[in-house]
């Protein structure tokens, strides 16, 4: 199975300053240092034997801080020769679709076809939509029209488009991409049942980013494949993103227990405040986000009682990323968790994210090196089949 390295710039320690509105003082850690830490992790991918490098898209808060993942991947296209490239995810509604198509095509050229996972999503965070000046209530229409335009642009033919949001005269994609199959490389990330069905019925393959228990993601794969069967598509396998921290042995795990609890807690806190999940009114009445306003708490939708001072260990468990998506432990433990996750979800490829929350980048780097020595070879040998539980319902009748 292929294993990629995912990285983004987290300035998690800065959330206290941001939440306090203390903008007269600078971050204790400059953002550029966090960006350098993320790039240092990416530089490990090829020499350590990983199959790819992935970046997210985020701006405007201390979370994720990669305003253009295609720019970051182009940087790595010039620093590497072998690894593939991926996004988890580019947020389609923030882009002019023709510019997005051209940037994808250009990265395809300079990487000689290595941008093989074009992960895209619809976006959630009110602060990010506001920062880029895009109405959030238009996100679904913008996302759907962006997919239409990318399909036309990557067809190799001249194209035009006249939609509700975007309109373009007849034109060609220039420069033409290096590859002829770019549209088939698009993977979609969705958090609502409605979006999942819409995307599945147009043939999109899901990309899961750790925002639900792994067995719930597995159940969604069956629904995806059921919708695909009804539309005449073959069954598919998703790609998954999972968080990872590797330690040498159980003794080291005991020593690191308090630190890992802190990192997980702050990662969940970061998600809560960045996406605005602590206040359901951020979604109430916003077209396309009704499901976010209605639900109480899931792996990435943590409501008001989750935003608090960090409790003492063992006194209150903050909801957040489910343990089934956290690859934390010894090499043996991580391998067994990965194997169980693949059996539950049928993913064909996994991207590990080795730095999250307030984890120092130096710790993430050491963890990645250990994972590469002790776990990566075994995962490369591990089969990644499409399991019966992920097949369409009709196929089992």
């Amino acid at each position: 199975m292929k294993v990629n390295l995912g990285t983004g710039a987290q300035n998690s320690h800065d959330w206290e300053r941001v939440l306090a509105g203390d903008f007269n003082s600078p971050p204790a850690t400059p953002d550029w240092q966090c960006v350098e830490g993320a790039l240092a992790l990416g530089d490990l991918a090829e020499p350590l034997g990983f199959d790819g490098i992935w970046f997210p898209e985020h701006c405007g808060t201390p979370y994720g801080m990669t305003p253009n993942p295609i720019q970051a991947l182009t940087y790595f296209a010039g620093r590497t020769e072998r690894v593939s490239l991926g996004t988890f995810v580019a947020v389609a509604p923030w882009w002019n679709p023709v510019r997005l198509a051209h940037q994808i095509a250009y990265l395809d050229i300079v990487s000689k076809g290595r941008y093989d996972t074009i992960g895209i999503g619809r976006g959630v965070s009110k602060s990010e939509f506001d920062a880029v000046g895009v109405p959030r209530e238009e996100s679904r229409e913008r996302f759907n029209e962006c997919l239409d335009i990318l399909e036309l642009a990557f067809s190799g033919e001249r194209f035009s488009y006249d939609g509700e949001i975007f309109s373009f005269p007849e034109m060609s994609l220039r420069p033409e991409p290096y590859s002829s199959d770019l549209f088939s490389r698009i993977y979609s990330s969705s958090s609502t049942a409605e979006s999942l069905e819409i995307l599945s019925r147009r043939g999109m393959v899901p990309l899961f980013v750790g925002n639900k228990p792994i067995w719930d993601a597995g159940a969604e794969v069956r629904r995806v494949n059921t919708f695909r069967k009804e539309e005449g598509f073959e069954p598919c396998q998703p790609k998954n993103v999972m968080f990872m921290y590797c330690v040498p042995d159980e003794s080291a795990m005991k020593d690191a227990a308090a630190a890992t609890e802190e990192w997980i807690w702050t990662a969940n806190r970061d998600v809560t405040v960045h996406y605005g999940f602590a206040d359901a009114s951020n979604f109430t009445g916003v077209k396309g986000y009704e499901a976010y306003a209605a639900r109480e708490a899931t792996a990435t939708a943590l409501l008001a009682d989750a935003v608090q001072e960090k409790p003492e260990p063992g006194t209150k468990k903050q909801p957040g990323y489910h343990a089934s998506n956290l690859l934390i432990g010894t090499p043996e433990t991580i391998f067994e968790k990965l194997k169980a996750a693949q059996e539950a979800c049928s993913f064909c490829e996994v991207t590990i994210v080795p730095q999250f929350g307030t984890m120092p980048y130096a710790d993430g780097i050491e963890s990645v090196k250990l994972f590469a020595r002790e776990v990566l070879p075994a995962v490369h040998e591990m089969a990644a089949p499409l399991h019966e539980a992920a097949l369409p319902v009709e196929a089992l009748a």
Side-chain angles (χ1 to χ4, degrees):
M1 183 170 65
K2 291 178 65 176
V3 185
N4 310 302
L5 188 62
T7 182
Q10 308 285 349
N11 200 345
S12 188
H13 285 291
D14 195 44
W15 272 114
E16 292 182 9
R17 184 187 68 93
V18 171
L19 290 173
D22 182 17
F23 298 114
N24 291 322
S25 59
T29 301
D31 287 347
W32 64 263
Q33 290 186 8
C34 303
V35 172
E36 285 191 344
L39 298 179
L41 276 171
D43 272 334
L44 295 176
E46 187 156 284
L48 291 182
F50 286 89
D51 298 287
I53 301 171
W54 287 25
F55 272 88
E57 179 172 10
H58 290 295
C59 65
T61 80
Y63 180 79
M65 300 191 304
T66 311
N68 184 345
I70 297 174
Q71 179 186 35
L73 292 175
T74 303
Y75 170 83
F76 279 105
R79 295 171 68 83
T80 58
E81 296 180 353
R82 175 187 57 80
V83 291
S84 63
L85 307 168
T87 42
F88 69 116
V89 295
V91 183
W94 302 344
W95 287 81
N96 174 297
V98 169
R99 286 192 60 81
L100 178 59
H102 277 92
Q103 292 210 24
I104 291 172
Y106 201 84
L107 175 55
D108 182 55
I109 293 169
V110 300
S111 68
K112 292 291 192 294
R114 289 187 284 143
Y115 186 14
D116 70 358
T117 303
I118 307 171
I120 64 173
R122 185 161 65 98
V124 175
S125 171
K126 180 180 184 299
S127 67
E128 290 185 295
F129 274 90
D130 290 347
V132 298
V134 172
R136 202 167 32 143
E137 56 271 16
E138 293 181 1
S139 68
R140 181 161 283 144
E141 288 82 1
R142 286 174 175 267
F143 182 80
N144 291 337
E145 290 193 15
C146 185
L147 282 178
D148 291 340
I149 293 163
L150 291 178
E151 187 169 16
L152 291 169
F154 297 150
S155 69
E157 306 292 334
R158 287 181 61 80
F159 68 96
S160 61
Y161 191 80
D162 187 16
E164 293 184 12
I165 305 292
F166 299 106
S167 181
F168 300 105
E170 185 174 297
M171 60 182 299
S172 298
L173 191 63
R174 302 297 297 272
E176 296 179 348
Y178 177 84
S179 306
S180 61
D181 62 343
L182 287 180
F183 192 73
S184 69
R185 301 181 187 184
I186 294 178
Y187 288 72
S188 61
S189 176
S190 60
S191 295
T192 67
E194 182 180 8
S195 292
L196 186 78
E197 180 171 357
I198 291 171
L199 293 169
S200 300
R201 290 193 182 281
R202 72 178 291 168
M204 296 289 101
V205 179
L207 172 63
F208 294 117
V209 292
N211 60 353
K212 55 181 66 69
I214 198 70
W215 43 85
D216 287 353
E220 285 195 0
V221 177
R222 170 172 276 198
R223 288 197 291 275
V224 166
N225 282 330
T226 300
F227 297 139
R228 287 174 63 90
K229 181 178 176 62
E230 292 172 356
E231 301 298 329
F233 298 112
E234 292 295 319
C236 70
Q237 292 181 260
K239 296 185 180 184
N240 278 45
V241 177
M242 305 180 77
F243 297 88
M244 188 281 296
Y245 180 65
C246 190
V247 296
D249 50 43
E250 291 295 345
S251 176
M253 189 67 244
K254 290 179 182 179
D255 293 340
T260 56
E261 181 180 344
E262 164 77 16
W263 301 336
I264 294 167
W265 191 93
T266 50
N268 291 331
R269 185 273 317 273
D270 296 356
V271 167
T272 302
V273 294
H274 171 78
Y275 287 107
F277 291 134
D279 183 357
S281 68
N282 282 324
F283 306 101
T284 302
V286 181
K287 179 184 175 184
Y289 293 87
E290 295 83 0
Y292 289 91
R295 66 190 181 181
E296 293 183 358
T298 69
T300 58
L302 317 178
L303 297 183
D305 64 348
V307 178
Q308 55 180 303
E309 291 187 5
K310 185 176 184 299
E312 292 298 319
T315 61
K316 182 176 177 65
K317 179 177 175 60
Q318 185 191 27
Y321 291 110
H322 196 272
S324 60
N325 285 300
L326 298 174
L327 304 173
I328 297 175
T330 65
E332 295 79 9
T333 298
I334 288 176
F335 179 77
E336 290 303 319
K337 284 186 174 183
L338 260 174
K339 184 178 178 181
Q342 198 286 325
E343 291 173 355
C345 191
S346 287
F347 52 78
C348 63
E349 188 172 325
V350 67
T351 296
I352 62 162
V353 179
Q355 191 280 333
F356 45 89
T358 51
M359 180 194 297
Y361 278 93
D363 290 65
I365 286 172
E366 291 306 309
S367 167
V368 164
K369 291 178 179 178
L370 178 60
F371 177 93
R373 288 196 307 269
E374 303 294 336
V375 185
L376 185 58
V379 181
H380 275 156
E381 293 295 323
M382 189 175 81
L386 177 63
H387 297 281
E388 184 177 277
L391 292 175
V393 174
E394 292 85 351
L396 303 178

